[in-house]
Amino acid sequence: MAESVVLDPVDLHLLRLLQNDARTTYRDLAAQVGVAPSTCLDRVTRLRRSGVILGHRLKLDPAKLGRGLQALLSVQVRPHRRELVGPFVERIRALPESLTVFHLTGPDDYLVHVAVADMADLQRLVLDEFTARREVARVETRLIFQQWDCGPLLPPSPSAQSG
């Protein structure tokens, strides 16, 4: 497990602001946090180098890209061996419909979040890209009606860690 990084209140404030809008300028961040722009730049650079900030991503609306139906696919792979799961994961990650892939414990090995055009496209994806693979023993599909983003993600408070 990766080691956590010690963050002070200024770091936490910067992370909150950047998670709400990663395009905020260093000058604006510095003003909101109450530090000099150069200090702000140094702190954000340190947060990147330490691996706290992993990158910046553009969030797209799948529906506006013609992928208005989203689903979660629970996938069971048999046998669950490294030489099979590595190529399986790489293939699933390469599919344009795949948004996120999780490797799980429990009866299902993977949970794949997908965005497709419609039910026929979902059926094609499941039959042609998942169940057609020899190592896939079972796929269970759940449609997503609605989703909400949560956050910002911050470290646990000291009181939560002591309980």
Side-chain angles (χ1 to χ4, degrees):
M1 189 162 90
E3 283 207 24
S4 61
V5 175
V6 177
L7 304 171
D8 67 17
V10 172
D11 293 330
L12 295 174
H13 196 179
L14 285 169
L15 291 173
R16 255 189 225 100
L17 293 169
L18 286 169
Q19 284 184 82
N20 288 330
D21 184 0
R23 296 178 303 162
T24 306
T25 66
Y26 289 115
R27 186 172 21 135
D28 290 344
L29 283 172
Q32 292 180 62
V33 175
V35 298
S38 60
T39 300
C40 181
L41 174 62
D42 290 343
R43 283 178 173 261
V44 172
T45 300
R46 180 179 51 80
L47 291 167
R48 280 193 190 105
R49 284 190 183 135
S50 66
V52 173
I53 296 175
L54 297 176
H56 305 277
R57 301 183 89 181
L58 185 64
K59 186 174 179 181
L60 303 175
D61 182 343
K64 294 204 169 136
L65 296 173
R67 296 182 183 278
L69 182 65
Q70 293 186 50
L72 296 172
L73 307 179
S74 299
V75 182
Q76 195 176 70
V77 173
R78 293 294 175 261
H80 193 168
R81 292 195 313 249
R82 189 174 302 278
E83 64 269 12
L84 292 176
V85 299
F88 169 77
V89 170
E90 289 311 308
R91 174 64 187 138
I92 299 311
R93 289 184 67 210
L95 294 172
E97 298 89 353
S98 295
L99 300 175
T100 310
V101 180
F102 299 94
H103 191 193
L104 309 172
T105 63
D108 297 316
D109 300 311
Y110 295 94
L111 184 64
V112 185
H113 181 189
V114 299
V116 295
D118 52 29
M119 288 298 278
D121 196 26
L122 179 60
Q123 181 182 27
R124 177 208 50 81
L125 179 70
V126 170
L127 293 176
D128 295 347
E129 299 295 345
F130 285 85
T131 60
R133 296 185 64 91
R134 284 194 318 251
E135 69 272 25
V136 173
R138 183 178 65 80
V139 176
E140 192 171 304
T141 304
R142 290 177 178 82
L143 298 180
I144 298 173
F145 292 136
Q146 195 169 3
Q147 76 182 67
W148 297 267
D149 288 334
C150 301
L153 177 65
L154 297 172
S157 65
S159 60
Q161 292 176 343
S162 62

